[in-house]
Amino acid sequence: MKAEAYQDAVRTLNTLQTNANYLEMVKRKRGDPQTQLEAMKLYLVRSGLQVEDLDQLNIIHITGTKGKGSTCAFTERILRSYGLKTGFFSSPHLVQVRERIRINGQPISSELFTKHFWRLYHRLEETKDDSSCVSMPGYFRFLTLMAFHVFLQEKVDLAVLEVGIGGAYDCTNIIRKPVVCGITSLGIDHTGLLGDTMEKIAWQKGGIFKSGVPAFTVLQPDEPLAVLRDRAQQISCPLYLCPPLQALEEGGPPLTLGLEGEHQRSNAALALQVARCWLQQKGYQDAGELKASRPSLPGQLPLAPVFQPTPRMQQGLRHTEWPGRTQLLRRGPLTWYLDGAHTTSSMQACVRWFRQALHRCERPDSGSEVRVLLFNSTGDRDSAALLKLLQPCQFDYAIFCPNLAEMASTDNADQQNFTVTLDQVLLRCLAHQQHWSRLHEEQVSPDPWSTPGQEQDGPASLLLAPHPPHTHSASSLVFSCISHALQWITQGRDPLFQPPSPPRGLLAHPVADSGAMVLQEAAAIHVLVTGSLHLVGGVLKLLEPSLSQ
């Protein structure tokens, strides 16, 4: 009964505009984004809260293009290691929508989600104005309002808020007095909403700055960094540049991170500064001993302090978990590499991580190794550019499928998406397949990941271990859902993923047929799942059924 009540709540939530639909609507209407922010404040009042009430949440506000979720996860885990009760609002979810609202690192229970959902939904229904044609906020706004209510009701000591899109006009930006803000690495994404240059995107991200509220950012290209600096100066926001993690490690042990990948070091450096600043602002003494700081150059951003991370900070970094980002699952002969990279810069980081992980893994004594790419890309993202970055990984098979866990997902409202038809998403997958085939036809181009003159077995090299090409090196397949794709990839060899036998006709294809034999006989199968966090979420739902409990 409880499970059904939760599914009913999620189904009702899904009737509100979803993110993809909202983006299309905003692009078409091009209305005043400031009006959108004012509307969010009205929804907050209708829900029974004033903007001033949010000051009690001691908010840490984080934006950026890539790594903002990981930075939030590091920050939350560090502060939790100080014994603080934490709230954490993030997006998107991987398996269940309640993952977006966490208390002490755990998604709120389905009972708590259901209770708060209906309380807020009915309150907004009761207070709707007959003259207004919109009685309910959109999907993301509703969840943002709900997070505020949950965090206040649960009396958290602090709330870590991840911006949805942009910053200036994001609905999380109705807050007046965060304790500290952070901006992760910037790149090109959501160009229809945020602008098509790094400078325009930096202007949007810098919109979360508040007068007198300390803010931190990581090293950015000169032009967007100058935009952030000007944005901060205009409103008297003290903005600091984070020293690299290496500077905080000097004179102490190297820091161990719970998240894999070289790019996570930048996220961890920002999280340490943000967490330390929060602790200082709240009067905590144990916030890390200062080391000798390097002076900032004139005209540049002042450097954030170089300090010795405390044992509790080290513990927080070490124990951080953030599924679907540089995540490894080893299951029998299969190794799953899961990363929701969906911009060119995050895909570069993903490929770097994947290739380094392949370098580290033990080669089988005998038998072949097979590399499989499972990919999808949605929205206005340049999938051809993403696939070009993946090409040098020398995949034996490229598999494309929509972000549908199963063909009939009516029993699981968390995975439903009303904004696109099956025809649309399958056509998109076929376009990905065409891009991939075209890239293989042009495969005379050099590997953009190799550096001329670099020793191939040197420690800095990201080149793969020798991988003799198979006769099917350019093979690709499109499946109608994630479950069918996984059934073909695993060939029954993943000890935990044992679905019912595949539908008749699923393997009636020459490539599927010959590939099945290769996969059945392979000593090791390496599967990279990337291009979309929703794809990664669908894969995790099937590979880790416990996440759906």
Side-chain angles (χ1 to χ4, degrees), residues 467-483:
H467 185 59
H470 295 287
T471 52
H472 55 266
S473 60
S475 300
S476 59
L477 291 165
V478 172
F479 289 98
S480 55
C481 68
I482 297 168
S483 178

Side-chain angles (χ1 to χ4, degrees), residues 174 285 340 430 479 519:
I174 59 169
Q285 301 304 310
L430 289 166
F479 289 98
L519 290 163

Side-chain angles (χ1 to χ4, degrees), residues 23 31 58 86 93 143 210 213 251 260 322 332 341 356 382 411 444 457-458 472:
L23 295 183
N58 299 316
T86 63
H93 61 277
L143 288 168
K210 305 286 185 289
V213 174
E260 288 206 13
W322 196 227
Q356 287 172 334
D382 185 352
D411 59 329
V444 287
D457 55 354
H472 55 266

